[in-house]
């Protein structure tokens, strides 16, 4: 039994000795280069390499070497090996203060960089929105059993060893492949590498991240290199995608959309935040995209721009474009510190302070400006200073400064304008009027000057002069009906009908189809006894407003004044058709047409009385019309109808009693007087007429002479 066991052990040892070289054969690197490996912190020192790059790898195990760990980013020294193909591109610095311009061929990026597992880097506020990226994650935790110790890769022809869980930073164009891996098992049989999410990729052949991922290199952060043993995951490392500024600049140059250019340029600027040319390019793009706020924030962060007048001037424009006047004031002050006597800067600062209503600060700046400007330009500065002092509540100082400006330029209208404003605020009415008069004289085409002077004249009670200035203003803007209407009201107050008519005629030319204007003009012409043009204007108004009864009534008045009886009668009939009881209108028709068309007027009055109106005057009007035609019966009939409809109207009954008495109907007259006295015993006229009539009748019966008439 013991001999059988010994034979079995000998056989097993022989099998292991023959199988070990084949188990590690996928990890040998017969073409390894002696070029130094590029790492984040140190360059590995290569061992002596064989002279023949094509010679097979030695069968002896390589000497032990340090490995990259998550705690330290130092690459181990490479094992002796032959040059790897393809050759690595030339090395380039990690970062550059001024990257080469995109058209020039850039230096090759570092092929690889080993570093610990990624940690959160300090956030730097970008000048553009960041694209969604895949967050770097540590390799999944392998199950219990053998664990990966390290992986050795060939990157651009140089070996780099990365501890399990570590990170290897690769430029997307750097060729890489897996050389070997090591686990903590006593026998590394069945180890196979793979790239997570890339099932068709063979990590034991040369690849590039750009070739594997394409455009995704700009949105992803890493690729997981996993190692399996007999189909089971035992660990892995991260291949972090390391892009350089030149990569992002090429992407920006190739982009067609402005937003894509901004995004890619912002990424490049994040990698080289102190690059002046790159920052200026980013600012240009943001300005082109109408994003002045972001452009200003980016420019303001650049330390190299703080003492550059040209860049400060550009920052000032950006602040003003976005309406940030407070920040603009700060920039102007910086520029003034560099150029203390710059008149244009003082002017700009003063305007900013005025815009912000910082009157005290504006006063200081304008006083300083008035001392440095040339003599011929001092008056406008003094006028602005006077206005600022007035707004600051310093009226007396403002008045003194403005007087100085007027003395410097007595023929300048604006100086008198400002002086008028300050005097008005100071309560100097006479001085204000004088300044406004001078202003209107110096600026005859200034509409506001004439309007202000007109208002000043009105306040002073000088309406005729106010009307003159208002008319000058209206002539400067002849199409403004509001000015002409204001002038019309002023002439109405002055009762200047000829001038008012001219204003209405002017208004008619401005608004030729305005019925209200035609009405007003017609009324004015009627008052001026110009009946023909009045009828024309009123007719136009009536045509525009056919249901306006006031306009129709005035048309009737014009027709009556012109003696156009038939037209007037027709107009009256139209007015009374729907509303026959209109006392005022019937009285006007009676007065105008009773002699010329009595029968037609009688018909209109009868039409009104038929509805039983409560106005006693209508019954008396009909009776008067009948008496004019010597028709006593018709007159009596009209009054009887009135008494019937208005039994409480004692005046109407008294009139009827008088008609009876005149017609010799004494008994009816007495009865009418008695009815009046029954209702009002103190009705004096009825008492007197009743006593006289009663006495007269008694005298007649006794054959005695009556008191009035003497003996029969």
């Amino acid at each position: 039994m013991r001999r059988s066991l010994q034979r079995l052990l000998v056989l097993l040892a022989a099998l292991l000795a023959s199988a070990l070289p084949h188990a590690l054969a996928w990890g040998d690197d017969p073409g390894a280069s002696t070029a130094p490996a590029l790492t984040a912190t140190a360059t590995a020192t290569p061992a002596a390499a064989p002279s023949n790059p094509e010679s097979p790898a030695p069968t002896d195990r390589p000497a032990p070497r340090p490995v990259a760990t998550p705690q330290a980013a130092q690459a181990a020294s490479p094992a002796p090996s032959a040059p790897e193909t393809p050759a690595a591109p030339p090395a380039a610095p990690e970062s550059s203060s001024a990257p080469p311009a995109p058209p020039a061929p850039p230096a090759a990026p570092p092929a690889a960089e080993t570093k610990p597992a990624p940690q959160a880097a300090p956030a730097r506020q970008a000048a553009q929105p960041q694209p969604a990226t895949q967050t770097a994650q540590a390799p999944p935790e392998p199950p219990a059993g053998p664990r990966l110790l390290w992986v050795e890769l060939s990157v651009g022809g140089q070996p780099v060893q990365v501890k399990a869980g570590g990170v290897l930073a690769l430029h997307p164009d750097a060729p890489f492949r897996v050389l070997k891996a090591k686990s903590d098992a006593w026998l590394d049989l069945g180890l196979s590498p793979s790239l997570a999410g890339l099932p068709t990729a063979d990590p034991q052949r040369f690849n590039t991240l750009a070739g594997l991922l394409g455009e995704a290199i700009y949105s992803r952060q890493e690729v997981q290199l996993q190692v399996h043993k007999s189909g089971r995951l035992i660990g892995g490392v991260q291949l972090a995608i390391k892009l350089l500024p030149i990569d992002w600049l090429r992407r920006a140059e190739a982009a067609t959309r402005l937003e894509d250019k901004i995004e890619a340029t912002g990424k490049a600027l994040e990698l080289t935040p102190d690059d002046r040319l790159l920052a200026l390019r980013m600012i240009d793009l943001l300005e082109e995209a109408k994003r002045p706020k972001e452009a200003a924030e980016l420019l303001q962060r650049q330390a190299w721009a703080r003492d550059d007048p040209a860049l400060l001037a550009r920052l000032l424009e950006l602040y003003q474009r976005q309406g940030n006047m407070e920040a603009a004031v700060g920039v102007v002050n910086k520029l003034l510190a560099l150029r203390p006597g710059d008149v244009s800067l003082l002017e700009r600062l003063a305007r900013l302070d005025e815009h912000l209503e910082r009157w005290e600060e504006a006063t200081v700046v304008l006083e300083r400006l008035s001392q440095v400007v040339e003599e011929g330009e001092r008056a406008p500065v003094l006028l602005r200073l006077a206005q600022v002092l007035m707004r600051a509540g310093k009226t007396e100082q403002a008045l003194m400064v403005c007087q100085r400006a007027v003395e410097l330029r007595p023929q300048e209208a604006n100086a008198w304008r400002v002086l008028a404003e300050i005097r008005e605020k100071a309560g100097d009415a006479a001085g204000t009027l004088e300044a406004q008069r001078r202003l209107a004289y110096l600026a005859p085409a200034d509409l506001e000057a004439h309007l202000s002077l007109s208002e000043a004249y009105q306040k002073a009670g000088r309406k005729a002069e106010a009307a003159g200035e208002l008319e000058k203003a209206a002539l400067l803007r002849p199409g403004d009906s509001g000015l002409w209407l204001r002038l019309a009201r002023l002439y109405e107050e002055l009762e200047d009908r000829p001038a008012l008519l001219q204003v209405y005629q002017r208004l008619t030319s401005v608004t030729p189809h305005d019925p209200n204007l035609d009405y007003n003009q017609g009324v004015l012409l009627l008052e001026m006894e110009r009946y023909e043009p009045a009828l024309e204007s009123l007719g136009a108004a009536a045509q525009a407003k056919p249901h306006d009864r006031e306009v129709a009534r005035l048309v009737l008045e014009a027709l009556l004044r012109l003696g156009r009886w038939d037209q007037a009668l027709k107009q009256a009939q139209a007015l009374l058709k729907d509303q026959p009881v209109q006392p005022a209108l019937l009285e006007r028709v009676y007065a105008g047409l009773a002699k010329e068309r009595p029968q037609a007027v009688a018909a209109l009055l009868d039409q009104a009385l038929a509805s039983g109106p409560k106005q006693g005057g209508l019954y008396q009007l009909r009776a008067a019309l009948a008496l004019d035609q010597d028709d006593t019966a018709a007159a009596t009939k009209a009054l009887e109808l009135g008494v019937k409809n208005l039994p409480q109207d004692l005046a109407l009954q008294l009139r009827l009693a008088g008609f009876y008495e005149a017609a010799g109907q004494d008994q009816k007259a007495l009865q009418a007087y008695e009815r009046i006295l029954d209702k009002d015993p103190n009705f004096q006229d009825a008492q007197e007429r009743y006593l006289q009539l009663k006495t007269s009748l008694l005298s007649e019966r006794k054959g005695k002479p009556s008191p009035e008439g003497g003996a029969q």
Side-chain angles (χ1 to χ4, degrees), residues 175-198:
F176 71 93
R177 75 182 184 92
V178 176
L179 296 177
K180 62 184 69 174
K182 176 64 178 174
S183 70
D184 59 1
W186 70 278
L187 184 63
D188 288 333
L189 289 176
L191 297 182
S192 62
S194 65
L195 296 174
L198 300 170

Side-chain angles (χ1 to χ4, degrees), residues 60 74 204 288 313 422 644:
D60 296 335
Q74 182 172 357
Q204 298 184 55
E288 185 179 350
I422 299 175
K644 178 182 177 181

